[in-house]
Amino acid sequence: MSTLQKTPIIEIRDLSYAYPTDDGSASSNALDHVSLSIEEGSFVSILGHNGSGKSTLAKMMSLILIPDSGSVMIDGKNMSADDVTEEDILEARRKVGMVFQNPDNQIVATVVEEDVAFGPENLGLPSEEIRRRVDEALSLVGMSKYARHAPHKLSGGQKQRIAIAGIIAMRRRCIIFDESTAMLDPAGRKEVMDTIERLNKEEKITVLHITHYMNEAVRGDRVIVMDGGRILMDGTPKEVFSHPQRLWNARLDVPQTTELLYHLKKSGYDVRLDIFDPGECAAEIAKALGKQ
Amino acid sequence: MAQVELQNISFIYGAGEPYEIRALDNISLTIGGSTVTGIMGHTGSGKSTLVQLLNGLLKPTEGKVILDGKDIWEDPKKIRDVRFKVGLVMQYPEYQLFDETVRDDIAFGPRNMGMSPDEVNARVLEAAQFAGLKEALLDKSPFDLSGGQKRRAALAGVIAMRPELLVLDEPAAGLDPGGREEILNSIREYQKISGTSVIIVSHSMEDMALYCDRVIVMEAGRVFMDGTCAEVFSRYDELISVGLDVPQITYVASELKKYGLDIGRDVYTVKYATAKILEKVRGDNA
Amino acid sequence: MNLDISFGQYCEGKSVLHRMDPRAKIIASVLYIIVVFLAKNLWSFGLLLLSAAVLILASGISPKIILKGMKALTFIIIFTSVINIFWMKGETLLFSLGFVSVYLEGILNAIMIALRIIVLLIGTSVFMTYTTTPIALTDGLEQLLAPLKKLHLPVHEFSMMMTIALRFIPTLIEETQKIMNAQKARGADFASGSLMKRAKTLIPILVPLFISAFRRAEELATAMECRCYTGGDGRTRMNVLHASPKDVVLCILLVLLGMVVIFTNGLGGYSLSW
């Protein structure tokens, strides 16, 4: 980690949460004493099977749910303190935005650019400023030529890019993607992942990507694996995916390259496991088998 | 063994209108037999249209759909019978659940077929078992189930009709890796035990590779490829050229050739690749 | 499901009318309705027909589209006219068939009523729906009604609801289609049986549709909250409406048209009774 002591954009301390049940009985913890901090500018993927607590974590960080115990700090401010006001929450939401799973259920307006303008309008910005931000945001996600289109006629990937533009237009420093690629086809997933990656690299926006696709998780610089409401693993993609067995136990996958290398290793060949590129994987195998 | 034969099928959305779209263009195919057939292609390739033609939800603009030697549109009034024979599980089928209990919901199909309560009950239990739903869940409201259980309940609702041909549109969409594996395994298992012909529509090459015997690739309303997994995936360069993905392992196999390690073009599962590599190396050393 | 809602659907265009302020168009529509109801004799209706023709020309929309759209309403127009022919009693009896008597006044009345409906439809649809997007209409309405906010009427909330409804209509239609297909695939039969039976077959469609609509509403509300939506207060708009001189001119023209109609009403001839 960097030696500069910067305030993390999101910091979570000893967070626990259980969903209320209908009959008032205690349910198992969706989150169980979780602590973690997200550095500004990083690209963090949160992996976990359905029910592992990853989406609950996202809802905590976007202040949709209130923790039973522990705290969520946004940009150094404790959002779980008793004296937090509506104003404070609004302030925090100006820093952290969220893109949801179902592309249809987050678009408000009947025209693309009107939808992108929705957030900035809520911030009470002057209209010329909104116009400028909307145009800029649409061009960043590559949707400028659809500005006057009706959102319901766009593809899933395009709808998600509109949702992203709506958040960029609010100039947020951090975007949480709550399984935003889960309902898309491979082409749509690629569109959205490329956009996310570009925003992180070029616009320095902090990205928190919640997913269960391994090939998406390897694109970030940190992977957090959730299981049973706890953090199971936390490290770079290379570190995390070097332990296929632990991921399999958590009902997750590993990239096929890693799986192949893992099997070869078990057969007695000395190979590294943290390789996700087919070319590098082939090179590693050739080296281990003495075929240069 | 049930078979559906498509004879020179074309389908046009909004035929005669200025914005008509030709979704299927003169397709001839025979699907069925005791296999799992995968249909793939990207969004807009015509695969969803194809699926809806199989059970008569859509009527072909041109051509015939032949089931059990009969044109299904010969008597349009009897199209409902075709739907009992060709069971279709739509995408995200959990959103079609409606009844008070899971049991009643699964019974919807069999009741529509006019079965006696005893028969219906037997069908429900059988289908629930195939779909991997515990009996204790049957008296719950479908809306109290978990996401994965809802998907299974919806699947059971179609299996309960004992279709001769079971068609599933993206059965694993949105599920996590564990959930995908479970549901696809139950489908595979169901196929083996019941002998029903199964058709799976999917974007996922990895799933196709693991669960299908035969793969049909659709592209721009036509059949682009049709063959065994080995045959189709060995033509990976062509798949890539039409914008489809191939399993990562296929790329690795092709890269290995550069190092003089040729394990063939038909590599599409990790298991097979591992075995091939080991066989090759041990053979060389022997 | 083929809902024919071509009548009054927005037609993309760049005409003078398209570019006008939606508020002016809403006011113009109201004025036009008043003018239409002022018209009492054939002279006035002739004038109104002329004005409708001018409107169509100014909107740049092909008369064919408008005629095609009116087709759906032919029945209503004919029905109201026919009622007038048979029910009106007048002075000039044309003929009698049994207990039905047809008077000249009845026929004139019928013609004028038909004309009234036709120009009314053309006028309002050309001003509003054909040349104004639903969202612009909602915006215009919100801003016109803004003074009512002082009376604590939820003007903003109402227009937000309109916007969201417009946004989700296509989504829900598509969803209904999907659910219908899914239930048809399980042998649901929507076409046959008694009325009771048919009503019952709707349950497998309506239950999932409602559940999904509620889920969507909940998710949308969360998404809006995450985008800092807190209601109408302190909210600004990207597209601020600007009234230009041509908007004022339009309204003045309509007032003038009303005055001319009052004048032509005085030219004599049979006068519409209601």
Side-chain angles (χ1 to χ4, degrees), chain C residues 167-234:
Chain C
R167 152 73 187 83
F168 277 92
I169 285 170
T171 309
L172 290 177
I173 289 180
E174 200 182 307
E175 180 138 35
T176 312
Q177 189 73 66
K178 266 191 209 154
I179 296 171
M180 277 177 79
N181 275 343
Q183 309 302 24
K184 269 195 212 161
R186 292 204 279 166
D189 182 4
F190 304 119
S192 58
S194 65
L195 202 63
M196 253 321 266
K197 213 174 148 197
R198 270 196 235 185
K200 242 180 134 181
T201 60
L202 287 180
I203 294 174
I205 299 174
L206 292 180
V207 172
L209 193 61
F210 271 93
I211 287 177
S212 137
F214 282 122
R215 199 190 60 242
R216 285 180 192 282
E218 210 177 303
E219 284 183 33
L220 185 70
T222 312
M224 286 168 73
E225 232 175 89
C226 281
R227 290 166 80 180
C228 295
Y229 180 72
T230 53
D233 296 337

Side-chain angles (χ1 to χ4, degrees), chain A residues 188-243:
Chain A
R189 271 209 302 273
K190 190 174 176 310
E191 267 171 48
V192 171
M193 281 313 293
D194 289 348
T195 310
I196 295 178
E197 205 168 63
R198 205 173 56 243
L199 290 175
N200 177 256
K201 296 266 156 3
E202 289 165 22
E203 305 298 314
K204 308 290 174 223
I205 292 172
T206 313
V207 170
L208 236 103
H209 182 52
I210 291 154
T211 182
H212 45 234
Y213 291 108
M214 306 308 120
N215 48 1
E216 291 176 5
V218 299
R219 293 173 77 160
D221 39 49
R222 179 176 168 199
V223 179
I224 295 171
V225 182
M226 300 281 302
D227 190 28
R230 290 164 185 263
I231 293 177
L232 183 71
M233 297 161 96
D234 183 353
T236 62
K238 282 181 181 287
E239 286 162 9
V240 167
F241 290 114
S242 298
H243 306 281

Side-chain angles (χ1 to χ4, degrees), chain A residues 49-50 182-183 185-186 212 251-253 255-257 259-260 263-264 267 269 276 278-279 281-283 285-286 289 291, chain B residues 43 92 174-179 182 203 206 247-249 251-252 255-256 259-261 270 273-274 277-278 281-282 284:
Chain A
H49 62 81
N50 291 344
M183 293 180 76
D185 62 7
H212 45 234
R251 286 169 54 101
L252 291 169
D253 262 349
Q256 288 191 324
T257 47
E259 194 183 340
L260 176 65
H263 288 307
L264 291 176
S267 305
Y269 293 93
F276 317 124
C281 174
I285 294 170
L289 301 180
K291 298 228 172 207
Chain B
T43 311
Y92 294 103
L175 299 178
D176 60 20
E182 275 171 24
H203 287 298
E206 275 87 359
Q248 210 191 6
I249 200 71
Y251 285 109
V252 177
E255 289 287 329
L256 275 174
Y259 300 94
L261 197 66
V270 175
T274 315
I277 292 173
L278 293 177
V281 175
R282 285 171 187 156
D284 284 2

Side-chain angles (χ1 to χ4, degrees), chain A residues 122-193:
Chain A
N122 290 334
L123 298 180
L125 299 170
S127 33
E128 313 81 67
E129 173 69 11
I130 300 178
R131 179 85 256 170
R132 219 160 39 86
R133 286 189 180 196
V134 167
D135 292 344
E136 192 187 285
L138 280 173
S139 106
L140 267 174
V141 298
M143 289 294 290
S144 296
K145 66 173 184 213
Y146 295 95
R148 301 290 307 158
H149 282 231
H152 73 268
K153 289 190 176 154
L154 302 178
S155 74
Q158 289 172 326
K159 283 180 197 161
Q160 288 300 50
R161 276 148 73 200
I162 297 305
I164 297 171
I167 284 171
I168 301 170
M170 296 176 79
R171 296 270 158 82
R172 267 119 162 217
R173 285 151 58 193
C174 173
I175 308 181
I176 302 172
F177 295 88
D178 186 8
E179 298 198 42
S180 311
T181 52
M183 293 180 76
L184 307 179
D185 62 7
R189 271 209 302 273
K190 190 174 176 310
E191 267 171 48
V192 171
M193 281 313 293

Side-chain angles (χ1 to χ4, degrees), chain A:
Chain A
M1 281 291 123
S2 78
T3 46
L4 278 169
Q5 275 300 315
K6 268 185 83 182
T7 319
I9 179 85
I10 300 174
E11 194 177 355
I12 278 172
R13 288 189 193 151
D14 203 28
L15 197 72
S16 292
Y17 184 78
Y19 283 96
T21 51
D22 290 338
D23 50 8
S25 64
S27 68
S28 61
N29 275 2
L31 289 177
D32 192 6
H33 300 281
V34 174
S35 297
L36 71 101
S37 71
I38 307 293
E39 303 302 319
E40 185 116 43
S42 57
F43 183 155
V44 182
S45 309
I46 301 185
L47 276 177
H49 62 81
N50 291 344
S52 61
K54 61 184 195 307
S55 276
T56 313
L57 190 61
K59 290 195 178 82
M60 290 288 164
M61 296 193 275
S62 50
L63 310 175
I64 297 168
L65 290 175
I66 299 163
D68 293 339
S69 69
S71 57
V72 179
M73 324 258 289
I74 305 285
D75 202 21
K77 183 156 176 54
N78 186 349
M79 301 309 295
S80 313
D82 292 331
D83 58 348
V84 169
T85 61
E86 284 280 308
E87 274 307 304
D88 294 332
I89 290 180
L90 270 181
E91 188 57 40
R93 289 207 164 126
R94 284 173 204 195
K95 291 173 187 154
V96 178
M98 185 136 163
V99 178
F100 297 84
Q101 184 179 38
N102 190 328
D104 272 317
N105 299 353
Q106 48 190 321
I107 293 176
V108 184
T110 48
V111 182
V112 165
E113 60 174 20
E114 293 271 354
D115 188 74
V116 177
F118 180 75
E121 287 177 342
N122 290 334
L123 298 180
L125 299 170
S127 33
E128 313 81 67
E129 173 69 11
I130 300 178
R131 179 85 256 170
R132 219 160 39 86
R133 286 189 180 196
V134 167
D135 292 344
E136 192 187 285
L138 280 173
S139 106
L140 267 174
V141 298
M143 289 294 290
S144 296
K145 66 173 184 213
Y146 295 95
R148 301 290 307 158
H149 282 231
H152 73 268
K153 289 190 176 154
L154 302 178
S155 74
Q158 289 172 326
K159 283 180 197 161
Q160 288 300 50
R161 276 148 73 200
I162 297 305
I164 297 171
I167 284 171
I168 301 170
M170 296 176 79
R171 296 270 158 82
R172 267 119 162 217
R173 285 151 58 193
C174 173
I175 308 181
I176 302 172
F177 295 88
D178 186 8
E179 298 198 42
S180 311
T181 52
M183 293 180 76
L184 307 179
D185 62 7
R189 271 209 302 273
K190 190 174 176 310
E191 267 171 48
V192 171
M193 281 313 293
D194 289 348
T195 310
I196 295 178
E197 205 168 63
R198 205 173 56 243
L199 290 175
N200 177 256
K201 296 266 156 3
E202 289 165 22
E203 305 298 314
K204 308 290 174 223
I205 292 172
T206 313
V207 170
L208 236 103
H209 182 52
I210 291 154
T211 182
H212 45 234
Y213 291 108
M214 306 308 120
N215 48 1
E216 291 176 5
V218 299
R219 293 173 77 160
D221 39 49
R222 179 176 168 199
V223 179
I224 295 171
V225 182
M226 300 281 302
D227 190 28
R230 290 164 185 263
I231 293 177
L232 183 71
M233 297 161 96
D234 183 353
T236 62
K238 282 181 181 287
E239 286 162 9
V240 167
F241 290 114
S242 298
H243 306 281
Q245 200 59 56
R246 291 180 71 184
L247 287 160
W248 284 323
N249 289 344
R251 286 169 54 101
L252 291 169
D253 262 349
V254 295
Q256 288 191 324
T257 47
T258 303
E259 194 183 340
L260 176 65
L261 292 165
Y262 174 79
H263 288 307
L264 291 176
K265 188 170 186 162
K266 272 212 318 201
S267 305
Y269 293 93
D270 181 27
V271 286
R272 277 164 51 210
L273 299 183
D274 55 353
I275 293 171
F276 317 124
D277 177 73
E280 283 175 40
C281 174
E284 178 74 10
I285 294 170
K287 199 177 82 189
L289 301 180
K291 298 228 172 207
Q292 284 296 2

